[in-house]
C-alpha cells in the first residue's frame, strides 16, 4: 500500500482522509517511498560491514550503488551490547588500516583465565584452546559500531538511526521488495496523534536483514518463507552486562576471566565474563542458556549473586557501576543456520546465528558474513536482472569461507551441555582434543521455549536482597541503561492471546517472564479487592533483549519494533 | 519576515550523566548528543510561522564543535532553510554566545530571533536576555504562545503568578518554553533533503568575538543520593513525623 493507490477522480481529499481513518489498523495509508540499490536493516557489525564493503566495491569499479542503513536505536551503537572480546580477523580484511583510522580497539588481551567456582572457592581450570585470546582486543562493541558508522558515512552510505524497519514489503510474486519504517506518532489506542508522521517505504533490489539476534522482521521471514525447515531450531542465551569503574588497585588492563559453576545449578548452561578495559573500567556479565528448566530461575539474580563471590567482590567493592544492559545471543551455531537467501533479500550476522559458542565470539563472523553477502550481491547486481534476485552465491561463498569452517568444527560443543556442566566439559574436551571438531556425528540442537518444567515440579530459588553497593534491583539497573520509549504508543510486546498469560504462564509456570526479563517489564499484579490477577507490561522499560519472544512457553509474546529511537541508550557498552 | 533560530548541541536528555571520578566535569565520552529540547521547540515555532505564511526564511545557527553540524541538519530536516555553524571547541559562556549571535544577527538582519529559554546542560537561562540587551531589542521570554496583531507580536509568557501577555515591536528576541508547541518528527525524506541544504561555517575570530572563559569551574559533583523513604500508617503519624522528626511544621 502507499502511493501506488490511485484514487478515482472526484474523490476529494477530505473524503480520502475519512477513508484513511476508517482503515482497519487505524493508520493513515499515505506513505512515501524511496528507492536504493541495497537497503540494510540494522546498523550493527554485520550490517555496517556489508554497507562498507558494498561501497568499497562500487568505488573500486566506478559504479554507482546506493546503500541505505536503517537502525532502530536513537543513534548507532545505542542498542549494541556485547562482552566483548573481539577477534580482528574480519576487520583486518574490511579496513586493513583500521589502526590508523582510529578504531577503538586499543586494549590487547593479556591473560586468559578460566575458573570453576564453588560457593566459597575459585579453582583455575585449563582454558580450552578456543578461548585463547592472543591477538584479540577487549572492546566496547557499541563504540566499535559508532566508529564503523563513521567509516560507512565516509564511504557514502546513507545511515538513518532512529528509524525502525517495522514491516517487510513483498511484491505480488512473494519476493521481498524492501521494508517500511514504522509510523511515528501513533497513540496508545492505535490511532494517529496530531504529530503523526507516516513511515516510509524503502525499496531495494536487495534487502539485507542484519537485525541481530532474533530480529523481528527475520522472525516473520523465517515463518512466512519456511527458512528453518531444513535446520535445527535456534537456541539462545541471555547475556546481562554491567560496566564498572573500579579502584585502580583492582584494575589489570587486558585481563580476561571466564567462570563456570556457582551460582548456577549443574543442569543449567551458563557462566560469567569479566574483562578489564582501559580507564579503570571493567565489563562484567553473565550468560544463562535460555534452555534452562526451572521456571523460578532468574538470570538477573544469578548475575547479581555471582558478583558477591569472594573472588569477584573485591574487584567491585570500592568501585561504581556505570552502565547496565542485556541482550540475547544465538547459541545454536552450525546446526541452526536457516536458509540464508530468498528472492529479494538475505540474512547476515546474528539474526542468522553465526556466533561461535566455544570461542564466545560472534563479531568477527557477523562482520565476515556481511562482507561476503556484499560481495555476492555486488556481483549479482552487475548482471541485468529480470524479476526479483535471489543471491544464491552468498551461501556458497560463505561455505567456502573461514566462517563456515569455524562453525562446523565447533558445532558439537554447546549441544553437549545438554548433559549438564560436567558432561558438557568432558564431551567438549573429547571433541576438541580427540576429534578436533571432526567427530563423525552432529549433536542436535533443541528450541528453548519448550524446556521449562511445571512450577509445581520445581524448587523455588531464594535470591538475596540487593545491597545497593555490589548488587542491585532491576529498576535501578534499567535506569542506567538509559532505556526510554515514547509513552503514548501501542504496546510493542504483543500477546497473541492475553488470557494465556494467566491460564498457562501463571497457572503452570508461575509467570517466568517476571524473572527472565532483565528489565522488570512483566509483573503479575493482584487486585486487592477481588484478588484477581493480570499481567502488567511496562513496555517502556524494555531493553530489546528479545528474551520474552524466545522463552515464552507457548510463544504467546510477540516482540515487534516500537517507535523508532526507543529502547536503551547504551554508552560504552 | 526572516527568522533566526539558535540551536545548541547538548547531551541527550535520556542519557545517563556521570561525573568524572576526579570531579573535573561530566564524562561525555560516547554519550548521545542531540538538539537542546527548548531549541527544538524554537525551530518548530519558526517552521509553523513559515507554514502560516508569516515567515519567509528560517536561518538556524549553532555555536559548538564540528559535530554540531548534525544538530543543524536536524533543524534543517524539521524545516529550516539554511544553517550557520560558528565552530568553537569546549564550553562557551552565555555572554560569549550572545555576542556571537549578535554578530550573526548584524550580518543576517532577521526580524525575529527565537531561542530555547535555556539549554539543558548548563541551565543558565541567560543567552536570550543578554542577546536582547546587546541588540537593544525587546524580548519575550518563556513564551508559551505567539500571536501577531496589528504589526505587533503578542507573547504569552509563563510566569510564577500565571500567564502574562507582552506586546513587542519587531525586531525582537523570543525564548521558547516547552508548552509553546510539540515538535514534529523528522521524516526520512526530509533528512535526505536537509543533507543538501546550505550550511556555512565561521569562527569567533572571523566574527570578532572573544570567547575566552570568564568563569572557572572549581568542582563538579553528583547530587547527594536520596535516602529511602518510609511508609506511614496514618495521617496522624505523618503529621507527627513532619512535626517531630523532620521539623518542617
Amino acid at each position: 500500500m502507499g502511493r501506488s493507490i490511485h484514487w478515482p477522480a472526484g474523490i476529494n481529499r477530505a473524503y480520502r482522509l475519512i477513508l484513511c481513518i476508517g482503515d482497519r489498523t487505524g493508520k493513515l495509508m499515505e506513505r512515501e517511498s524511496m528507492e536504493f540499490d541495497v537497503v540494510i536493516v540494522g546498523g550493527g557489525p554485520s550490517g555496517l560491514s556489508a554497507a562498507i564493503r558494498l561501497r568499497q566495491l562500487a568505488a573500486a569499479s566506478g559504479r554507482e550503488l546506493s546503500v541505505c542503513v536503517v537502525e532502530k536505536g536513537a543513534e548507532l551503537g545505542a542498542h549494541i551490547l556485547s562482552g566483548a572480546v573481539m577477534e580482528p580477523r574480519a576487520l583486518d580484511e574490511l579496513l586493513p588500516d583500521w589502526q590508523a583510522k582510529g578504531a577503538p580497539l586499543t586494549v590487547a588481551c593479556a591473560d586468559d583465565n578460566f575458573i570453576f567456582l564453588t560457593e566459597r572457592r575459585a579453582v583455575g581450570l585449563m582454558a580450552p584452546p578456543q578461548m585463547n585470546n592472543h591477538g584479540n582486543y577487549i572492546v566496547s562493541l557499541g563504540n566499535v559500531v559508532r566508529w564503523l558508522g563513521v567509516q560507512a558515512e565516509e564511504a557514502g552510505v546513507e545511515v538513518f538511526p532512529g528509524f525502525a524497519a517495522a514491516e517487510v514489503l513483498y511484491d505480488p510474486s512473494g519476493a521481498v521488495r524492501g521494508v517500511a519504517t514504522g509510523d511515528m506518532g501513533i497513540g496508545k489506542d492505535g490511532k494517529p496523534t496530531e504529530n503523526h508522521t507516516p513511515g516510509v517505504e524503502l525499496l531495494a533490489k536487495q534487502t539485507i536483514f542484519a537485525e541481530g539476534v532474533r530480529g523481528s522482521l527475520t522472525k516473520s521471514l523465517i515463518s512466512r518463507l519456511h527458512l528453518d525447515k531444513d535446520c535445527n531450531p535456534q537456541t539462545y542465551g541471555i547475556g546481562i552486562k554491567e560496566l564498572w569503574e573500579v579502584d585502580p588497585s583492582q584494575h589489570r588492563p587486558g585481563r580476561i576471566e571466564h567462570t563456570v559453576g556457582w551460582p548456577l545449578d549443574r543442569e543449567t548452561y551458563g557462566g560469567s565474563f569479566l574483562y578489564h578495559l582501559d580507564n579503570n573500567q571493567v565489563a562484567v556479565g553473565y550468560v544463562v542458556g535460555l534452555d534452562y528448566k526451572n521456571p523460578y530461575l532468574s538470570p538477573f539474580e544469578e548475575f547479581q549473586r555471582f558478583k558477591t563471590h569472594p573472588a569477584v567482590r573485591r574487584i567491585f567493592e570500592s568501585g561504581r557501576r556505570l552502565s547496565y544492559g542485556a541482550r540475547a545471543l544465538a547459541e545454536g551455531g552450525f546446526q541452526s543456520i536457516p536458509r540464508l537467501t530468498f528472492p529479494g533479500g538475505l540474512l547476515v550476522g546474528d539474526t542468522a546465528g553465526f556466533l561461535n559458542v566455544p570461542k564466545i565470539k560472534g563479531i568477527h563472523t557477523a562482520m565476515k558474513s556481511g562482507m561476503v553477502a556484499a560481495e555476492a550481491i555486488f556481483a549479482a547486481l552487475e548482471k541485468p536482472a529480470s524479476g526479483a534476485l535471489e543471491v544464491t552465491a552468498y551461501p556458497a561463498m560463505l561455505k567456502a569461507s573461514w566462517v563456515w569452517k569455524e562453525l562446523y568444527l565447533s558445532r558439537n560443543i554447546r549441544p553437549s551441555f545438554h548433559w549438564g556442566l560436567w558432561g558438557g566439559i568432558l564431551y567438549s574436551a573429547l571433541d576438541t582434543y580427540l576429534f578436533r571438531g571432526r567427530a563423525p556425528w552432529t549433536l542436535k540442537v533443541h528450541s528453548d521455549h519448550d524446556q521449562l518444567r511445571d512450577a509445581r515440579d520445581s524448587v523455588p530459588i531464594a535470591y538475596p536482597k540487593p545491597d545497593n553497593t555490589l548488587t542491585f534491583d532491576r529498576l535501578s539497573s534499567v535506569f542506567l541503561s538509559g532505556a526510554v520509549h515514547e509513552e503514548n504508543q501501542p504496546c510493542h510486546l504483543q500477546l497473541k492471546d492475553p488470557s494465556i498469560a494467566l491460564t498457562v504462564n501463571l497457572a503452570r509456570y508461575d509467570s517466568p517472564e517476571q524473572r527472565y526479563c532483565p528489565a522488570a517489564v512483566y509483573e503479575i499484579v493482584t487486585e486487592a479487592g477481588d484478588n484477581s490477577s493480570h499481567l502488567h507490561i511496562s513496555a517502556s522499560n524494555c531493553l530489546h533483549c528479545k528474551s520474552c519472544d524466545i522463552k515464552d512457553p507457548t510463544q504467546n509474546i510477540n516482540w515487534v519494533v516500537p517507535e523508532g529511537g526507543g529502547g536503551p541508550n547504551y554508552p560504552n557498552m | 519576515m526572516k527568522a533566526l533560530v539558535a540551536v545548541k548541541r547538548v547531551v541527550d536528555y535520556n542519557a545517563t550523566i556521570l561525573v568524572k571520578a576526579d570531579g573535573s566535569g561530566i564524562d561525555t565520552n560516547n554519550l548521545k548528543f542531540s538538539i537542546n529540547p527548548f531549541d527544538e521547540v524554537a525551530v518548530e515555532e519558526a517552521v509553523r510561522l513559515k507554514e502560516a505564511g508569516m515567515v519567509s526564511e528560517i536561518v538556524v545557527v549553532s555555536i559548538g564543535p564540528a559535530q554540531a553540524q548534525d544538530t543543524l541538519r536536524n533543524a534543517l530536516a524539521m524545516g529550516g532553510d539554511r544553517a550557520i555553524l560558528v565552530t568553537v571547541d569546549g564550553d562557551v559562556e552565555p555572554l560569549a554566545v550572545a555576542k556571537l549571535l549578535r554578530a550573526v544577527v548584524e550580518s543576517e538582519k532577521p526580524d525575529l530571533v527565537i531561542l530555547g529559554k535555556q539549554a539543558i546542560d548548563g541551565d543558565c537561562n541567560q543567552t536570550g536576555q543578554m542577546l536582547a540587551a546587546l541588540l537593544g531589542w525587546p524580548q519575550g521570554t518563556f513564551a508559551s504562545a505567539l500571536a501577531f496583531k496589528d504589526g505587533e507580536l503578542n507573547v504569552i509568557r509563563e510566569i510564577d503568578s500565571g500567564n502574562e501577555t507582552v506586546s513587542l515591536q519587531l525586531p525582537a528576541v523570543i525564548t521558547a518554553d516547552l508548552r509553546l508547541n510539540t515538535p514534529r518528527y523528522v521524516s526520512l525524506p526530509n533528512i535526505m533533503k536537509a543533507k543538501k541544504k546550505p550550511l556555512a561555517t565561521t569562527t569567533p575570530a572571523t566574527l570578532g568575538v572573544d570567547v575566552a572563559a570568564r568563569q572557572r569551574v572549581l568542582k563538579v559533583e553528583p547530587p547527594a543520593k536520596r535516602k529511602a523513604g518510609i511508609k506511614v500508617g496514618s495521617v496522624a503519624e505523618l503529621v507527627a513525623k513532619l512535626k517531630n522528626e523532620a521539623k518542617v511544621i
Side-chain angles (χ1 to χ4, degrees):
Chain A
M1 297 196 282
R3 276 202 168 161
S4 55
I5 294 179
H6 293 287
W7 296 88
I11 295 188
N12 64 31
R13 221 183 148 72
Y15 185 49
R16 282 172 53 181
L17 195 65
I18 291 164
L19 282 182
C20 293
I21 291 168
D23 175 32
R24 180 174 50 85
T25 60
K27 286 181 186 176
L28 292 181
M29 292 159 79
E30 283 286 302
R31 61 184 179 197
E32 290 185 67
S33 67
M34 293 160 78
E35 280 185 40
F36 298 89
D37 290 307
V38 180
V39 165
I40 301 174
V41 180
S46 65
L48 291 172
S49 298
I52 292 170
R53 181 59 110 209
L54 280 165
R55 291 290 303 176
Q56 285 175 342
L57 293 167
S61 70
R63 251 167 65 195
E64 246 328 296
L65 187 88
S66 56
V67 182
C68 152
V69 176
V70 277
E71 162 58 41
K72 68 181 163 63
E75 61 165 357
L76 287 185
H79 289 185
I80 295 289
L81 184 126
S82 186
V85 174
M86 180 171 165
E87 184 178 308
R89 187 172 186 178
L91 184 59
D92 286 338
E93 295 176 16
L94 182 68
L95 297 159
D97 55 346
W98 55 264
Q99 223 138 11
K101 286 192 159 125
L105 283 73
T106 50
V107 183
C109 296
D111 58 332
D112 286 305
N113 300 275
F114 186 46
I115 300 161
F116 173 72
L117 295 184
T118 67
E119 190 167 355
R120 303 241 152 264
R121 307 180 69 94
V123 184
L125 302 177
M126 191 177 71
Q130 297 95 333
M131 280 161 81
N132 177 356
N133 282 306
H134 182 74
N136 296 338
Y137 293 85
I138 300 178
V139 300
S140 149
L141 186 60
N143 292 345
V144 171
V145 161
R146 286 182 182 93
W147 176 83
L148 275 176
V150 173
Q151 311 310 311
E153 290 202 291
E154 281 176 6
V157 178
E158 302 280 359
V159 184
F160 298 119
F163 290 91
E167 182 187 341
V168 182
L169 302 172
Y170 299 93
D171 72 13
S173 76
V176 172
R177 61 185 186 97
V179 291
T181 62
D183 285 18
M184 310 287 260
I186 298 288
K188 260 193 176 106
D189 53 4
K191 298 208 175 83
T193 64
E194 62 162 20
N195 258 7
H196 174 250
T197 305
V200 175
E201 298 191 345
L202 302 169
L203 308 178
K205 293 172 187 149
Q206 273 289 303
T207 306
I208 301 181
F209 293 86
E211 298 176 276
V213 177
R214 192 79 165 189
S216 48
L217 296 186
T218 303
K219 184 183 162 187
S220 74
L221 284 162
I222 287 177
S223 134
R224 178 182 168 126
L225 305 172
H226 311 291
L227 302 178
D228 59 350
K229 73 176 186 327
D230 297 323
C231 66
N232 285 181
Q234 185 58 268
T235 181
Y236 301 87
I238 167 75
I240 305 174
K241 173 180 167 181
E242 294 175 350
L243 185 68
W244 283 71
E245 184 176 70
V246 301
D247 189 90
S249 67
Q250 296 296 332
H251 186 234
R252 317 250 181 292
R255 182 179 168 85
I256 292 173
E257 292 176 23
H258 291 110
T259 72
V260 291
W262 190 86
L264 277 187
D265 60 71
R266 299 284 179 274
E267 70 168 6
T268 305
Y269 180 79
S272 76
F273 62 85
L274 197 154
Y275 306 144
H276 291 252
L277 295 125
D278 49 4
N279 301 323
N280 295 321
Q281 289 186 354
V282 172
V284 58
Y286 212 88
V287 176
V288 174
L290 279 173
D291 59 347
Y292 72 82
K293 296 187 167 62
N294 184 346
Y296 291 111
L297 188 139
S298 161
F300 175 84
E301 298 294 352
E302 297 289 343
F303 173 37
Q304 297 304 316
R305 201 154 64 148
F306 158 76
K307 287 184 289 174
T308 66
H309 191 278
V312 181
R313 69 180 311 143
R314 61 182 167 75
I315 302 173
F316 301 107
E317 251 164 356
S318 51
R320 62 169 179 163
R321 193 168 66 144
L322 304 178
S323 193
Y324 169 86
R327 185 74 174 97
L329 34 135
E331 295 183 341
F334 188 79
Q335 293 89 314
S336 304
I337 298 173
R339 199 176 103 204
L340 297 171
T341 62
F342 37 86
L346 49 79
L347 310 177
V348 300
D350 247 357
T351 206
F354 292 132
L355 181 85
N356 179 333
V357 178
K359 261 195 188 176
I360 340 177
K361 283 179 196 63
I363 304 166
H364 63 305
T365 47
M367 290 179 69
K368 178 70 177 174
S369 69
M371 291 152 60
V372 172
E375 287 154 17
I377 289 173
F378 189 78
L381 287 180
E382 251 172 340
K383 298 165 203 133
S386 58
L389 181 67
E390 177 163 359
V391 186
T392 49
Y394 161 52
M397 288 162 69
L398 201 60
K399 278 171 193 169
S401 76
W402 50 260
V403 170
W404 214 257
K405 187 178 171 197
E406 231 189 271
L407 294 179
Y408 177 76
L409 293 180
S410 59
R411 74 196 181 285
N412 283 332
I413 307 288
R414 171 65 181 90
S416 73
F417 281 81
H418 200 56
W419 298 315
L421 176 63
W422 294 116
I425 286 181
L426 194 69
Y427 176 86
S428 298
L430 278 178
D431 196 274
T432 303
Y433 292 105
L434 189 64
F435 302 120
R436 299 187 180 276
R438 298 181 198 281
W441 57 77
T442 294
L443 302 177
K444 282 221 162 13
V445 176
H446 51 237
S447 52
D448 297 324
H449 66 270
D450 48 7
Q451 300 291 316
L452 281 181
R453 278 193 296 262
D454 283 12
R456 62 162 190 265
D457 303 327
S458 308
V459 185
I461 306 173
Y463 291 108
K465 276 210 155 75
D467 62 15
N468 291 319
T469 311
L470 210 59
T471 59
F472 304 90
D473 65 10
R474 277 174 232 227
L475 285 178
S476 62
S477 303
V478 173
F479 173 73
L480 284 184
S481 73
V484 67
H485 291 82
E486 165 63 50
E487 291 288 339
N488 187 20
Q489 66 172 307
C491 182
H492 74 278
L493 301 154
Q494 302 173 341
L495 301 181
K496 290 178 201 159
D497 176 353
S499 70
I500 288 178
L502 301 178
T503 56
V504 178
N505 288 39
L506 180 61
R508 271 188 73 181
Y509 303 107
D510 199 20
S511 299
E513 60 273 20
Q514 298 185 99
R515 290 172 290 276
Y516 63 62
C517 172
V521 165
Y522 299 97
E523 190 188 358
I524 292 288
V525 178
T526 306
E527 301 296 334
D530 58 356
N531 236 0
S532 69
S533 298
H534 70 274
L535 179 67
H536 182 77
I537 301 179
S538 308
S540 52
N541 286 357
C542 179
L543 296 175
H544 298 205
C545 79
K546 313 284 176 78
S547 297
C548 53
D549 193 276
I550 295 163
K551 187 64 175 169
D552 186 64
T554 60
Q555 297 285 277
N556 187 40
I557 300 175
N558 189 36
W559 192 101
V560 299
V561 284
E563 189 171 278
N569 284 288
Y570 299 136
N572 306 310
M573 287 289 265
Chain B
M1 190 165 74
K2 180 171 173 180
L4 185 87
V5 184
V7 298
K8 185 175 184 185
R9 173 183 184 262
V10 297
V11 172
D12 189 88
Y13 66 97
N14 292 316
T16 313
I17 300 291
L18 290 168
V19 175
K20 284 185 194 161
D22 63 2
S24 64
I26 302 292
D27 185 0
T28 55
N29 253 340
N30 297 301
L31 281 186
K32 182 176 181 246
F33 281 80
S34 43
I35 185 170
N36 175 40
F38 293 101
D39 299 343
E40 195 181 13
V41 172
V43 176
E44 175 69 28
E45 196 62 19
V47 176
R48 289 186 187 190
L49 289 173
K50 190 177 174 192
E51 285 169 348
M54 315 292 292
V55 162
S56 52
E57 188 189 20
I58 301 169
V59 180
V60 287
V61 56
S62 189
I63 294 156
Q67 297 94 313
Q69 287 195 20
D70 297 341
T71 313
L72 287 168
R73 293 281 175 211
N74 184 329
L76 293 175
M78 289 177 71
D81 294 300
R82 59 189 172 88
I84 300 167
L85 172 63
V86 184
T87 314
V88 192
D89 285 319
D91 283 342
V92 191
E93 291 170 5
L95 181 60
V97 173
K99 287 178 178 171
L100 290 167
L101 289 177
R102 174 179 62 178
V104 174
V105 166
E106 280 166 357
S107 67
E108 288 291 331
K109 303 196 167 36
D111 304 284
L112 193 60
V113 179
I114 315 182
L115 313 83
K117 70 168 180 178
Q118 67 195 69
I120 60 167
D121 49 3
D123 273 346
C124 291
N125 189 339
Q126 296 167 6
T127 302
Q129 294 88 331
M130 286 176 168
L131 175 63
L134 289 172
L135 290 167
W137 287 10
Q139 56 181 298
T141 52
F142 315 109
S144 64
L146 301 184
F148 287 92
K149 205 179 168 193
D150 307 328
E152 291 197 332
L153 174 58
N154 284 348
V155 179
I156 298 181
R157 312 176 62 230
E158 291 195 348
I159 55 175
D160 288 347
S161 51
N163 284 340
E164 177 187 67
T165 305
V166 293
S167 191
L168 311 178
Q169 300 278 346
L170 295 182
V173 174
I174 305 297
T175 74
D177 214 329
L178 282 185
R179 265 169 294 273
L180 186 56
N181 59 54
T182 307
R184 68 196 59 200
Y185 291 99
V186 292
S187 73
L188 265 180
N190 285 341
I191 292 176
M192 294 283 279
K193 280 175 210 150
K195 288 185 179 180
K196 298 194 177 72
K197 289 183 182 176
L199 191 156
T201 54
T202 182
T203 61
T206 315
L207 297 173
V209 176
D210 173 18
V211 296
R214 284 161 168 73
Q215 294 161 13
R216 196 156 53 89
V217 175
L218 300 180
K219 198 178 174 195
V220 177
E221 53 187 35
K225 273 197 180 142
R226 203 172 146 243
K227 285 191 187 130
I230 52 159
K231 277 188 182 167
V232 291
S234 66
V235 173
E237 193 189 340
L238 173 66
V239 171
K241 281 194 184 296
L242 289 175
K243 206 176 255 175
N244 305 326
E245 285 177 31
K247 296 189 198 305
V248 289
I249 54 172

